[in-house]
Amino acid sequence: MARAATTSDTFNAIAEPQRRDILVLLRGGERPVTDLARDLGMTQPQASKHLRVLREVGLVQVREAGRQRLYGLDARGLRPVHEWVGGFERFWNESFGRLDAYVRELKDEHEHEDAQEPERTRQEGPHDGDDQ
């Protein structure tokens, strides 16, 4: 099956690390492209290209503010990703549950060993230094 075009598929759009970085910056509020480009160390045309892709998949909205265009996050576009990742929630919960049980088991073993330590010391008696 052919892969969907980047501009029509949220998963492909966010596969690019720089686009994810843009989304992180936009969580803080609307920003002009020049600010995004500067903060990400890229040229304005590179940032504009990434913003276009994010806008086409519904992750970014743009509005005119005087002579500037402000880009803002539209997290509703991440719903398909959220739903897909949510399908793994049972796996993670079970994995963390097993890890938690293992940690409790180790803790119980350690506490059991600590409780037996004074008993061993009493049984062995004081050492008089003859072990040499």
Side-chain angles (χ1 to χ4, degrees):
M1 179 181 212
R3 198 167 168 192
T6 300
T7 57
S8 65
D9 177 43
T10 302
F11 289 91
N12 284 332
I14 64 171
E16 166 61 51
Q18 290 178 316
R19 291 188 195 125
R20 292 192 307 267
D21 292 342
I22 289 171
L23 295 176
V24 169
L25 289 175
L26 292 178
R27 282 191 312 202
E30 293 179 320
R31 309 267 303 265
V33 67
T34 52
D35 287 2
L36 293 168
R38 181 193 65 231
D39 290 351
L40 295 171
M42 63 176 68
T43 66
Q44 185 271 329
Q46 290 172 319
S48 292
K49 178 183 171 190
H50 288 303
L51 286 165
R52 179 184 51 79
V53 171
L54 293 169
R55 196 173 66 247
E56 288 176 359
V57 298
L59 294 174
V60 169
Q61 293 180 338
V62 63
R63 73 176 180 89
E64 302 288 329
R67 294 186 333 194
Q68 284 190 345
R69 297 179 68 162
L70 296 178
Y71 294 86
L73 177 65
D74 186 354
R76 293 176 298 180
L78 289 171
R79 181 168 297 281
V81 176
H82 176 73
E83 290 171 355
W84 182 79
V85 170
F88 295 93
E89 185 175 2
R90 191 178 109 224
F91 167 78
W92 288 111
N93 286 339
E94 290 172 0
S95 295
F96 287 131
R98 287 191 304 273
L99 178 61
D100 187 46
Y102 178 68
V103 168
R104 277 184 297 203
E105 181 182 314
L106 289 176
K107 184 179 175 186
D108 290 346
E109 287 175 11
H110 183 71
E111 288 173 355
H112 181 70
E113 289 171 3
D114 286 350
Q116 290 181 346
E117 189 64 33
E119 184 178 311
R120 274 191 235 130
T121 304
R122 281 193 307 265
Q123 290 174 356
E124 293 172 1
H127 293 280
D128 58 12
D130 293 24
D131 293 7
Q132 298 178 6

